[in-house]
Amino acid sequence: MNNTLEEVKSILRKYNQEHLLNHIDSLDENKKKVLLNQILDIDFELINSLYANTKKDIEFNNDKIEPMEYLDKYKLNEEFKYYEGIGKQAIKNGKLAAVTMAGGQGTRLGHLGPKGTYDIGLDSHKSLFELLSESLKEEGKKYGVTIPWFIMTSRENNEETLKFFEKNKFFGYRKDKDIFFFIQGELPMIDTEGKVLVGEDGLIKQAADGHGGIYESLVKSGMTEKMRQLDVEWVFIGGVDNCLVKMVDPVLMGVAIDKNVTVACKSIVKANPHEKVGVFCKRNGRPSVIEYSEISSDMAEAVDANGELLYGESHILCNLFSIDAVERMGATPLPYHSAYKKAKYIDSEGNLIVPDSPNAYKFEAFLFDAFGEVDDMAILRVKREEEFAPVKNADDAGVDCPSTARDLYEKFYKLK
Ligand code: UTP
């Protein structure tokens, strides 16, 4: 322990982060060890470069941006049945697994607890997790299979998520047989001076590393290996906060298989040219998603010969990957984006600081930043009212909130 302590001290001196040990003496022996190991695990060079990036303006680079081709699910005519047939066969053969990303903090919604446990106010009072589990089970039944379900949590919400599932008897799934949980990666949070924060527990204040952490976590936690053992070839990855997410879609699978692509994504058409969503495009010839802040008004409004927006296919976090693609993406580091957030911490005098405005940076990778890793992908446009009912904000925001999601859900399932 003494050797470790000396090693840690010298690292902290080098990176000017000595405050991290200010209160080590108040920790019990076990926590002391955890803290030292946490510090040894931190890549301070990475932290320094992430901090430097927070000071830079967003660079508008000279990437060549072009529209991306897509298929409209409801304009496929006779090909619809063709793709559906291929996809149905693959699902019946047990080739599909579903992954739900539930590691986010859900700060905008403001629910105390994992977002998946949230009740959007249906008469049934079912949680998001239950709504997702029901649709997955129903879809599986159609093909005579149980679709294995993988749930990504974060260190922060893992215990509570597991307790919730235990209480609900895993909604009929069998733990470690057809439902699996894994914890995503984390990065330390830093203040505006680049100092790593200490959390209330006296340990390093870490935050989940974004939905882009999914690939690495799936691989590192052994989940892709598990999928291979189950003979799975295709992995649908979606968020926990879309109560209409359609995780099992034979047409999407058929398109991916027939077109021999390793990633097939769903899109919905933008509600209007200036809707603040990321849209699919080709960036320097490779698949990508371009943020609304990155395209000019002219580009946002440009239309093709049929009057369709050239950049109109919104990314809705509904994507199907081959296992090979997940593994390839998991092996390639993604860029981190910084977000300025409110974070409680212990200051160098040992006081708990509870800020009422943002005070710290958190770093997140975005799932779509990995799309450039593949040579080609297929985009399938689906209907907003059938597949997209996001729960992002609290009700007072009026958009993408529990009441709008509930309305869409009730309409789709004809509950009212
Ligand atoms: P969002 O980007 O909307 O983030 O996540 P969020 O954490 O739910 O909400 P805010 O931004 O704090 O208000 C989209 C999906 O990605 C998952 C979320 O759980 C959600 O299903 N996600 C996000 C993770 O699993 N891990 C992360 O680190 C971030």
Side-chain angles (χ1 to χ4, degrees):
M1 173 107 162
N2 272 350
N3 285 349
T4 313
L5 185 60
E6 285 317 307
E7 185 187 350
V8 165
K9 279 184 178 165
S10 102
I11 294 173
L12 295 182
R13 254 194 312 276
K14 177 168 172 200
Y15 291 101
N16 214 6
Q17 301 277 0
E18 286 140 297
H19 65 287
L20 295 179
L21 292 184
N22 276 4
H23 305 290
I24 190 165
D25 291 336
S26 62
L27 301 179
D28 64 33
E29 286 311 304
N30 185 36
K31 270 195 169 174
K32 275 183 192 158
K33 273 192 204 145
V34 175
L35 177 64
L36 295 180
N37 284 331
Q38 280 185 321
I39 297 172
L40 288 174
D41 276 348
I42 297 177
D43 179 347
F44 285 101
E45 291 292 334
L46 174 68
I47 297 296
N48 279 353
S49 79
L50 293 177
Y51 175 60
N53 285 345
T54 64
K55 304 283 162 221
K56 284 189 198 152
D57 290 335
I58 297 172
E59 282 172 23
F60 284 93
N61 43 35
N62 296 321
D63 287 347
K64 183 171 174 220
I65 304 296
E66 293 164 294
M68 176 103 169
E69 280 176 14
Y70 65 91
L71 294 171
D72 187 327
K73 185 172 178 181
Y74 293 97
K75 291 187 184 155
L76 289 173
N77 304 321
E78 65 276 12
E79 283 182 310
F80 186 101
K81 286 257 164 277
Y82 171 71
Y83 291 130
E84 192 183 40
I86 297 175
K88 278 185 172 172
Q89 197 52 52
I91 299 169
K92 274 188 199 152
N93 292 345
K95 300 297 175 192
L96 177 68
V99 175
T100 296
M101 298 184 294
Q105 290 181 309
T107 41
R108 287 169 288 170
L109 179 64
H111 166 57
L112 288 175
K115 214 186 213 183
T117 64
Y118 189 73
D119 161 7
I120 61 167
L122 295 167
D123 289 346
S124 64
H125 292 291
K126 287 176 181 164
S127 62
L128 285 169
F129 278 135
E130 183 161 8
L131 298 179
L132 265 56
S133 79
E134 278 186 346
S135 110
L136 195 58
K137 274 189 292 189
E138 282 310 306
E139 290 297 325
K141 265 190 212 149
K142 288 186 193 163
Y143 305 100
V145 292
T146 301
I147 313 272
W149 195 16
F150 293 78
I151 299 192
M152 179 168 86
T153 65
S154 60
R155 182 191 45 86
E156 235 175 316
N157 72 16
N158 182 62
E159 204 179 313
E160 231 180 307
T161 304
L162 276 175
K163 273 198 189 135
F164 185 78
F165 270 87
E166 267 156 23
K167 199 172 105 202
N168 288 287
K169 304 204 163 43
F170 295 90
F171 302 110
Y173 273 85
R174 296 168 307 162
K175 183 155 182 278
D176 298 328
K177 288 212 162 53
D178 40 40
I179 188 167
F180 306 89
F181 296 83
F182 62 105
I183 303 177
Q184 72 173 108
E186 294 186 303
L187 280 172
M189 292 186 77
I190 58 173
D191 69 11
T192 51
E193 305 298 313
K195 300 276 188 203
V196 172
L197 295 184
V198 175
E200 277 171 277
D201 53 6
L203 301 175
I204 302 295
K205 176 101 184 168
Q206 315 225 50
D209 60 0
H211 44 61
I214 182 75
Y215 310 108
E216 197 184 350
S217 315
L218 274 172
V219 176
K220 273 196 177 161
S221 63
M223 293 299 139
T224 43
E225 191 51 44
K226 178 75 62 198
M227 289 172 184
R228 286 192 187 281
Q229 286 162 11
L230 294 171
D231 214 18
V232 162
E233 289 175 10
W234 292 93
V235 189
F236 179 88
I237 302 182
V240 72
D241 53 3
N242 171 9
C243 59
L244 282 182
V245 62
K246 195 167 165 47
M247 297 188 263
V248 185
D249 185 338
V251 177
L252 184 73
M253 268 187 88
V255 166
I257 294 168
D258 187 66
K259 298 204 168 294
N260 200 19
V261 292
T262 52
V263 184
C265 306
K266 295 197 184 190
S267 69
I268 55 171
V269 69
K270 260 181 166 180
N272 65 68
H274 297 287
E275 192 187 3
K276 293 184 171 175
V277 289
V279 290
F280 288 98
C281 69
K282 286 215 154 179
R283 195 185 286 267
N284 303 325
R286 303 189 80 82
S288 183
V289 167
I290 185 163
E291 292 285 7
Y292 63 89
S293 52
E294 276 186 283
I295 56 174
S296 64
S297 242
D298 284 352
M299 270 170 89
E301 289 167 13
V303 288
D304 66 12
N306 302 319
E308 297 269 11
L309 292 173
L310 279 179
Y311 299 96
E313 300 311 303
S314 324
H315 173 247
I316 52 168
L317 219 55
C318 289
N319 305 310
L320 180 73
F321 301 80
S322 71
I323 295 201
D324 288 344
V326 171
E327 288 176 343
R328 193 162 356 133
M329 290 167 169
T332 318
L334 294 181
Y336 289 107
H337 304 256
S338 62
Y340 196 41
K341 300 253 176 178
K342 280 193 269 185
K344 284 189 232 170
Y345 70 103
I346 303 284
D347 71 8
S348 46
E349 272 80 53
N351 306 308
L352 173 66
I353 308 292
V354 183
D356 46 24
S357 58
N359 62 319
Y361 293 105
K362 127 175 212 203
F363 301 101
E364 293 185 304
F366 296 161
L367 172 138
F368 49 78
D369 279 335
F371 288 171
E373 279 304 302
V374 297
D375 295 326
D376 212 355
M377 64 163 55
I379 311 283
L380 186 68
R381 181 196 280 186
V382 297
K383 289 185 183 160
R384 186 183 284 260
E385 64 274 21
E386 291 184 357
E387 305 209 18
F388 194 54
V391 185
K392 296 287 178 193
N393 306 306
D395 261 337
D396 47 11
V399 285
D400 297 347
C401 58
S403 58
T404 53
R406 183 172 64 237
D407 282 352
L408 288 162
Y409 188 92
E410 285 173 343
K411 257 189 209 127
F412 180 74
Y413 284 103
K414 301 192 173 50
L415 297 180
K416 290 219 161 148

